[in-house]
């Protein structure tokens, strides 16, 4: 006959933890976070933005263009130039009208900025904002 301690040791060796419910919860949480995440396409370049006192946060679902100090117009990491602004923005906003945020470097000539804004207006974008740093 075995002692009581030997029986308890034998019983504890046979016990297993069921991980299936834990894995189910983890997968459900993963799917929840993937579905609710908002993806914003960045411009792909770092721009030295001017500062402004009246700057404010905008919504997440915006179109973003960057104008570098070298005069390149960037969208999603690609140099589209001034000539490609209209076609790119028409394609990007064909399903839903979204606002446009232009990240222009401090040293960008006003003429280039006006050309980009003009092409965006011709593409049908109604709400155009300039990115700035909070002063």
């Amino acid at each position: 006959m075995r002692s009581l301690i030997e029986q308890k040791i034998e019983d504890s060796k046979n016990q297993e933890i069921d991980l299936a419910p834990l894995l189910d919860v983890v997968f459900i949480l993963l799917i929840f976070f993937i579905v609710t995440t908002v993806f914003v396409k960045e411009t792909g370049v770092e721009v030295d933005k001017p500062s402004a006192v009246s700057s404010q946060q905008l919504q997440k679902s915006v179109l973003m263009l960057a104008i570098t100090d070298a005069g390149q117009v960037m969208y999603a990491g690609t140099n589209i130039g001034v000539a490609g602004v209209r076609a790119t923005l028409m394609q990007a906003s064909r399903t839903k009208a979204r606002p446009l945020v232009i990240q222009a470097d401090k040293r960008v000539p006003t003429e280039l900025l006006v050309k980009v804004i003009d092409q965006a207006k011709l593409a049908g974008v109604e709400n155009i904002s300039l990115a700035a740093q909070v002063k």
Side-chain angles (χ1 to χ4, degrees):
M1 188 170 219
R2 294 186 301 181
S3 69
L4 185 63
I5 295 175
E6 289 176 345
Q7 277 183 336
K8 288 196 179 215
I9 291 173
E10 179 94 15
D11 290 343
S12 68
K13 288 182 182 178
N14 292 335
Q15 292 180 352
E16 292 182 12
I17 297 175
D18 186 17
L19 294 179
L22 175 68
L23 291 174
D24 290 343
V25 170
V26 169
F27 284 129
I28 289 171
L29 286 173
L30 180 68
I31 290 170
F32 173 76
F33 286 119
I34 289 173
V35 169
T36 59
T37 302
V38 176
F39 297 102
V40 177
K41 285 188 178 179
E42 293 293 327
T43 57
V45 292
E46 188 62 35
V47 177
D48 186 19
K49 296 178 280 234
S51 58
V53 177
S54 64
S55 63
Q56 60 186 2
Q57 287 287 99
L58 291 177
Q59 61 187 6
K60 293 286 184 190
S61 62
V62 297
L63 299 170
M64 297 192 67
L65 285 179
I67 305 174
T68 64
D69 57 349
Q72 298 175 328
V73 180
M74 306 291 288
Y75 177 77
T78 307
N79 183 6
I80 60 172
V82 177
V85 170
R86 181 195 272 179
T88 302
L89 293 179
M90 284 176 77
Q91 178 70 21
S93 63
R94 65 186 154 100
T95 57
K96 177 183 166 189
R98 298 189 296 176
L100 171 67
V101 175
I102 299 174
Q103 295 177 337
D105 194 275
K106 290 180 186 179
R107 295 172 291 280
V108 169
T110 308
E111 180 183 9
L112 178 60
L113 181 60
V114 169
K115 285 181 182 179
V116 171
I117 292 173
D118 189 39
Q119 289 297 313
K121 289 279 188 182
L122 291 173
V125 178
E126 295 178 6
N127 188 357
I128 300 173
S129 301
L130 295 175
Q133 293 177 346
V134 177
K135 202 172 203 183

